[in-house]
Amino acid sequence: MNSDTPKQRLQQRQVEEQSAEQQQTTGQQAGLAFDSVEELLRYDNLQTIPPPAIAERLKASLEQEPEPKRSWWHRLFGGRASE
């Protein structure tokens, strides 16, 4: 009988999958080229998950930001700010 428990097999499979994903991602990143710094930062933002503590602080900070002013043409023509 195999001495591996189902939990150990699951953990091993997860480690193998993570390793395969990392190798695949590394291979894909080697050939990337960006037209601007902004594109690079957007790509990096999509690939990077912030630590939970920083994510919470960022969310709280964004909630404290004031609502953006309505644009002059919305005020002039009576459009709603949510459009």
Side-chain angles (χ1 to χ4, degrees):
M1 182 172 166
N2 194 351
S3 63
D4 288 344
T5 65
K7 185 175 182 179
Q8 289 173 332
R9 285 185 292 215
L10 176 62
Q11 288 174 343
Q12 180 63 28
R13 177 176 280 168
Q14 289 173 340
V15 168
E16 290 171 358
E17 288 175 359
Q18 288 174 348
S19 175
E21 287 175 9
Q22 287 174 346
Q23 289 173 355
Q24 187 177 33
T25 303
T26 303
Q28 290 173 349
Q29 289 177 347
L32 294 178
F34 300 96
D35 292 332
S36 67
V37 174
E38 289 80 12
E39 285 184 31
L40 170 66
L41 292 174
R42 284 188 199 102
Y43 176 80
D44 185 56
N45 181 41
L46 294 173
Q47 302 300 315
T48 306
I49 300 171
I54 293 175
E56 289 176 25
R57 288 176 37 204
L58 180 60
K59 183 179 177 183
S61 176
L62 289 174
E63 288 173 352
Q64 294 175 357
E65 287 289 314
E67 290 289 324
K69 289 185 176 182
R70 290 175 49 189
S71 64
W72 65 269
W73 58 274
H74 270 123
R75 291 190 305 264
L76 181 66
F77 295 112
R80 293 182 295 189
S82 63
E83 293 182 342

